Every structure is written in C-alpha cells, then in structure tokens.
Amino acid sequence: VADDDSELAFIDWLRGLAGRHPCVPLGIGDDAALIRISGAGDCLVTVDMLMEGVDFLLPDTDARDIGRKALAVSLSDIAAMAGRPVAAVISVVFSRQSGREFAERLYCGIKSLAQEFNVAIAGGDTNSWDGPFAISVTVLGQPTGAGPVRRSGAQPGDWVMVTGELGGSLRGKHLSFTPRVREALVLRQSVDIHAMIDVSDGLAADLHHVLDESAVGAVVRAGALPISDAAHHLPGPQSALDHALGDGEDFELLFTVAPDDGQSLLKSPPFELRLSHIGEITHDRTCVLVDDAGHQSPLPPLGWVHRL
Amino acid sequence: VADDDSELAFIDWLRGLAGRHPCVPLGIGDDAALIRISGAGDCLVTVDMLMEGVDFLLPDTDARDIGRKALAVSLSDIAAMAGRPVAAVISVVFSRQSGREFAERLYCGIKSLAQEFNVAIAGGDTNSWDGPFAISVTVLGQPTGAGPVRRSGAQPGDWVMVTGELGGSLRGKHLSFTPRVREALVLRQSVDIHAMIDVSDGLAADLHHVLDESAVGAVVRAGALPISDAAHHLPGPQSALDHALGDGEDFELLFTVAPDDGQSLLKSPPFELRLSHIGEITHDRTCVLVDDAGHQSPLPPLGWVHRL
C-alpha cells in the first residue's frame, strides 16, 4: 500500500509535469488519452507493460497467453473509453536465452486476439538482453459517438452497473479474459453512459477512480455484486465478497447511467453477458457498502493489485 | 552479426504474421507505420525501447539523458517519414532500488525535449521490478504534404544526400543528438524527397535498407562523406571512414532526390546544418564505395549497431 501511495504521488507529479497541450484534449488520468492528430481526426491511445515476475511467472505461463494478455489489457482500456481499437505497436525485450519459439508463441497469442478484434499489428521494436522478459503494447483507437466516455461524468442518482462477474481472476481469468470492446460499443449505442472504467485494479479501487474524477460518492449493495465462482474457491481468509471488491484484473466494465437507462438495460439486455446494477452515485463524497441486513460500512479503495 | 541475421529473419516472420490491414496503409518495414484511424485522418506511429546494459550503463548515464534519448530516437523515426510529431506515450519499468530521483530526472529529460519539439506527453504506464531499467516510447505524428516519405522511393539517377556529420556517436552524440524533425519538414517543403531514413544502424546499413526497399543500388564516394571529428578521435584499429560508414546512432537524415533538387539544395541550403551529396542511386542493385583514387569496392551493410 505504501508502494501504491508513492506510485500515485508520482503519477500526480507526472501529470503536472506533462501539463496541458492543445493536441491532447484528454491526457494522463483516464483509461486512454485522446490525441488530436490534425484538424480532421482524433485518436485514442493507451499503453500497458507486462513484466516477467510481476505479471506472470516463466516458464509457468504459456507465451501465447502472455502475448494475448499484453494486447487484451490495452484493448480493455480502449473499451473503457467506448472506443474502437484500430492498431497496436509492440515493443518487447526478450531474455537472451528465451529462444525463437517463445517469441513466435508470444506473437501468435497477440495475433489471435488482434484478429478477433480486427486490430492491426502495425509495428514494433524487438530487443533482447540479460534481464527478464517484458512487453509493452500501445493501442490506437477510434473514438465513437460523441467522443470518449470518461471517468469524470458520473452524476448523483446514477445507477452503478458492471458487466460480467467479479473476483478470483488469478484462478485463470486474468490471462484468458475477453476485453469488453464489443459490449462497450453496444452499451454506447443503447444508452447514454455517463462514466466508465475497466475493472483492472479491483472494483472498489476502480470505483474510487470514477468517484474521484467525478467528485461524487456511491452506495454499493453487497448483495447485488456479481461474485464469480472463482472468488468462492480461492484459499485464504478473505471472503468471496472481499475478492469481488478487491481483486484486480477482472477487466469488466464499471459504468454509470441515469436510472431510466439502467432500467431499460436490465429489461432488454443488449448482450448475453451478465449486467448487474450494484449501487447508486451520491452527492455525498463517500463510498459506502451496504450489506443484506442494511448495515453500512465505508468502502475504501482496497484493490490489492493482483501481482505475483 | 549472427544475432542481427536471426533478428532480421524474425522480423520478416513477424511482418508476414502481421499481414495487411486496411487501417494500416504502411506497416512493419519503414521508420514508422501509418494508421488510418477513421475516414478523416491518418496518423504516424513508431515505438522504440531503450534498455539498461544494452543502450546505456547505470549509474554512468544521467537519467535525464536517457529520458531525452528515449524520446529523441522516436522523434527521429517520425522525422525520417517527414512527419510532424504530436504526442508520446511512455511505458517504463524501474529497478525497485532506483528511487524517485532517478524517475524524476528521467521524465524531466523527456519533458525538455518534448517541449523543444512541442510534443505532448499524453500518457503512460509506470512500473517497477527486480530487473534492470527499461523504457519504451511510442510517438504519434501527423503526416505532412503528400503523406509519409518512405524508404522505397529511391530512383536510379537520384542523388544520395545526408544531413550533419557521421561516425563516432558513442563519444557523446548518441545521447545528445537533436532529432532532425525540423530539417525533414524544411526539406519536404523545399524539394521532392524520393526516399528517406534516419541513420540509426549506421550509414551503410541504413543505405542498404533504402536500396532493398527501393530495389536499386548506389555508388557512394568516400571523399564526399561528412566525417565527424569524433570519428577521428576514437581509439581502435578502424579508420574514421570506417566509423562514418558503420557506426550507428548518428540519427542524421539519409535521403535521395532528383539531381536538380540536389543541386538546388546545395546552392541555397534551406538550413544551417551541413548537407552533403555523397553518391548516386543506380539501376544496378549493388552498393559500391569509390575512394579518392577512383578504386571501387563493395559496400556491405556493415553497421555494427552501437550497443554497449
């Protein structure tokens, strides 16, 4: 947690350093940045880096899964802005001893997901060294509709909703998840999404990102959380609810909409993936969890990031 | 060299795997890719990764210089396409022990160059691990004029020209070079550049990239090469000419133009930076070096990449 605090402080410093620029309507602080390339077109961009020993262990993890995930996390960021991913550029540094087969499996994993989402692999930089393996994937995307859906648009009274199920991603979903690109585009066409983020740090932590950026609070109903089977089957002292609230790397969409829109989504679901109404946005800038008996407790931005 | 061969073979494999995509008019194989984000706008993108122990040593190298260079190499790629750099996204993995000061100096180095070229720092991903330090910078740019200047446009009879001076970059220029963004834009406005590349692998190696992509050959006059002072002052058995031909990381522009355009550039130089006419493009697909006595010898794609 101390690490996270200093990381957040550093990112704040970086945000200040980066400053504002007329070609970047949205910069550091959301899931992706929006770049104004010329008078004609805007473009979403996001980058994520995965590292051996931090995000996965070798040789325990198949290089195909690593490649797939390296692209998937960035696609999830574009989805969180309701964007359409277009192309990826990839920089990689291999361990000198890792060999050609590892490299080919890695890129095949990237390619399979790229094809699934019609994303071009446009370029990259391939290197090797004596250190551990790392991969950085930058994805460019096209904004849709009235532009990117930001974290900052949540309004008091909004329903808080989430796709899919939460918790226990370490049991497998953290590698095999499907980025919710299609669902985000369908949601955007169906309703007016006020704010959206992908659940990468953990539901509570990511909800807090939305609340902070929107300057609002929330009430979350524990009984309404879509807790995954995996969250029930993890060893250790934490409850399944703890896992659903705190586990990272679910890569589901957390979003807020006006109650009417929320009701219409539940009444006529626009896709098969589960959709849950888990709470409401409040004026009061606190985040509260309500259990089945009606007891309220503060919901801090737990979110122990799921790193090995 | 064996390493380079297998790397080239791997990049060929990757180019095949990446395939063609309607949103990527130019993909792997040039200095930057061209992405069609929507009907309206195209965007250049390039990525480069720098690694501790490969591109620089720590703590010998100032983190400011590393940050500056990490952005500069990507700006040089955009320059090589005659593009205007717009924004950068940066992924970094720090050694856990490297500390906040190192990180701040790194980003200050990036920021200073970004300001010099009016490039926005739009986002990033900051991480730490037990491995060595690495940084990956993706730069987005705007194509200019009739679109990117490619490696593949050299025509028999063209003059081969180069900016600045060559060789010996390890003595300092490899860290402190100025990417030739402004010069590329001025050249593009002044003449019809047929082909262009930045000299990162070494003059001979990068000239071969142009020749290969353009399916032509070249004659280079040794006496016309702008050999840097640094190339004369390196220890070791190689001559200054060897260094000018083979050293990497000069980050000058190597380009070809019709003879008339070449003559007009020499007659009325569009900028103060030295411009040299070093040879001609030929139909015959060989690359030949001519010495001051008129003796010809093959000029292979030497280019020992300047890595520590």
Side-chain angles (χ1 to χ4, degrees):
Chain A
V1 174
D3 263 0
D4 283 352
D5 280 354
S6 65
E7 193 185 318
L8 285 180
F10 179 71
I11 290 177
D12 273 349
W13 175 84
L14 200 55
R15 204 168 167 169
L17 181 80
R20 294 191 157 275
H21 191 287
C23 292
V24 182
L26 298 182
I28 296 170
D30 216 307
D31 293 290
L34 187 70
I35 317 281
R36 189 145 289 161
I37 294 296
S38 61
D42 286 357
C43 146
L44 289 164
V45 61
T46 183
V47 64
D48 284 283
M49 192 180 237
L50 298 187
M51 291 141 285
E52 177 182 350
V54 178
D55 298 287
F56 51 84
L57 295 176
L58 289 178
D60 306 7
T61 317
D62 187 334
R64 280 185 68 98
D65 289 339
I66 297 169
R68 185 186 182 285
K69 177 172 180 176
L71 177 59
V73 293
S74 287
L75 296 188
S76 184
D77 282 328
I78 298 290
M81 310 291 283
R84 182 174 289 113
V86 173
V89 291
I90 300 158
S91 59
V92 173
V93 57
F94 294 108
S95 277
R96 241 179 265 288
Q97 67 271 16
S98 73
R100 172 85 180 251
E101 196 201 326
F102 179 88
E104 293 197 359
R105 290 187 70 80
L106 179 88
Y107 282 108
C108 285
I110 297 171
K111 176 71 179 178
S112 67
L113 191 71
Q115 281 185 311
E116 190 181 334
F117 286 95
N118 194 25
V119 170
I121 299 173
D125 186 19
T126 301
N127 307 277
S128 62
W129 68 352
D130 295 322
F133 166 73
I135 177 169
S136 173
V137 176
T138 304
V139 172
L140 307 190
Q142 182 185 347
T144 62
V149 176
R150 304 184 58 175
R151 298 178 177 180
S152 56
Q155 295 166 26
D158 277 2
W159 281 20
V160 180
M161 303 189 74
V162 68
T163 62
E165 299 179 342
L166 301 171
S169 72
L170 253 195
R171 285 180 67 95
K173 188 184 178 190
H174 79 111
L175 280 177
S176 62
F177 70 94
T178 299
R180 302 307 188 191
V181 172
R182 289 180 281 251
E183 289 77 8
L185 295 175
V186 168
L187 282 172
R188 152 141 266 184
Q189 288 180 329
S190 311
V191 294
D192 178 17
I193 313 170
H194 290 173
M196 190 153 62
I197 192 170
D198 65 326
V199 181
S200 52
D201 293 344
L203 180 78
D206 289 314
L207 176 57
H208 271 272
H209 293 320
V210 170
L211 303 184
D212 290 347
E213 295 289 330
S214 302
V216 291
V219 175
V220 172
R221 283 185 305 283
L225 286 170
I227 302 177
S228 73
D229 280 351
H232 286 283
H233 292 96
L234 283 170
Q238 292 166 356
S239 69
L241 175 64
D242 289 338
H243 284 293
L245 290 170
D247 285 2
E249 308 222 314
D250 280 312
F251 297 107
E252 297 295 347
L253 296 171
L254 174 66
F255 61 97
T256 83
V257 289
D260 282 358
D261 277 340
Q263 268 156 347
S264 85
L265 285 175
L266 291 188
K267 207 163 124 191
S268 317
F271 40 69
E272 286 188 20
L273 185 68
R274 184 168 172 182
L275 255 181
S276 304
H277 166 211
I278 63 170
E280 281 81 33
I281 296 294
T282 58
H283 262 111
D284 183 15
R285 292 189 64 173
T286 56
C287 189
V288 171
L289 185 71
V290 186
D291 70 15
D292 292 345
H295 296 302
Q296 297 201 351
S297 55
L299 178 58
L302 333 148
W304 41 94
V305 179
H306 247 172
R307 302 205 135 166
L308 303 173
Chain B
V1 174
D3 261 0
D4 283 352
D5 279 354
S6 65
E7 192 186 318
L8 285 179
F10 179 71
I11 289 177
D12 273 349
W13 174 84
L14 201 54
R15 202 168 169 169
L17 180 81
R20 292 190 158 278
H21 191 287
C23 292
V24 183
L26 298 181
I28 296 170
D30 216 307
D31 293 289
L34 187 70
I35 316 280
R36 189 146 289 160
I37 294 296
S38 63
D42 286 357
C43 144
L44 290 163
V45 62
T46 184
V47 65
D48 284 283
M49 192 181 236
L50 298 188
M51 290 141 285
E52 177 182 351
V54 178
D55 297 286
F56 51 84
L57 295 177
L58 289 179
D60 306 7
T61 318
D62 186 335
R64 280 185 67 99
D65 290 338
I66 299 169
R68 186 186 180 285
K69 176 172 181 176
L71 177 60
V73 294
S74 287
L75 295 188
S76 184
D77 282 328
I78 298 290
M81 311 292 281
R84 182 174 288 113
V86 174
V89 291
I90 300 158
S91 60
V92 173
V93 57
F94 294 107
S95 277
R96 240 179 267 286
Q97 67 271 16
S98 72
R100 172 87 179 247
E101 195 200 326
F102 179 89
E104 292 196 0
R105 290 188 71 81
L106 179 89
Y107 281 106
C108 286
I110 297 172
K111 176 71 179 177
S112 67
L113 191 71
Q115 281 184 311
E116 188 181 333
F117 285 96
N118 194 25
V119 169
I121 299 173
D125 187 19
T126 301
N127 306 277
S128 62
W129 69 351
D130 295 322
F133 167 73
I135 177 168
S136 174
V137 176
T138 304
V139 171
L140 307 190
Q142 181 184 348
T144 62
V149 176
R150 302 185 59 176
R151 298 176 178 182
S152 57
Q155 295 167 25
D158 276 2
W159 281 20
V160 180
M161 302 189 75
V162 68
T163 61
E165 300 180 341
L166 301 172
S169 72
L170 252 195
R171 284 180 68 95
K173 188 183 177 190
H174 80 110
L175 280 178
S176 63
F177 70 94
T178 299
R180 301 308 188 190
V181 172
R182 290 179 280 250
E183 288 77 8
L185 295 175
V186 168
L187 283 172
R188 153 141 267 184
Q189 287 181 331
S190 310
V191 294
D192 178 17
I193 312 171
H194 290 172
M196 188 153 63
I197 191 170
D198 65 324
V199 181
S200 53
D201 292 345
L203 180 79
D206 289 314
L207 176 57
H208 271 272
H209 292 320
V210 169
L211 304 183
D212 290 347
E213 295 289 331
S214 302
V216 292
V219 175
V220 172
R221 284 185 305 284
L225 286 170
I227 303 177
S228 73
D229 281 349
H232 286 284
H233 292 96
L234 283 169
Q238 293 167 355
S239 68
L241 176 64
D242 289 339
H243 284 293
L245 289 168
D247 285 2
E249 307 222 314
D250 281 312
F251 298 106
E252 295 296 344
L253 296 171
L254 174 66
F255 60 97
T256 84
V257 289
D260 282 358
D261 277 340
Q263 268 155 347
S264 84
L265 285 175
L266 292 188
K267 208 164 124 191
S268 316
F271 40 69
E272 287 188 19
L273 184 68
R274 183 168 172 182
L275 254 181
S276 305
H277 166 211
I278 63 168
E280 280 81 34
I281 297 294
T282 59
H283 263 112
D284 184 14
R285 293 189 61 174
T286 55
C287 190
V288 171
L289 185 70
V290 187
D291 69 16
D292 291 344
H295 296 303
Q296 296 201 350
S297 56
L299 178 58
L302 331 147
W304 43 94
V305 178
H306 249 172
R307 302 205 136 166
L308 306 173

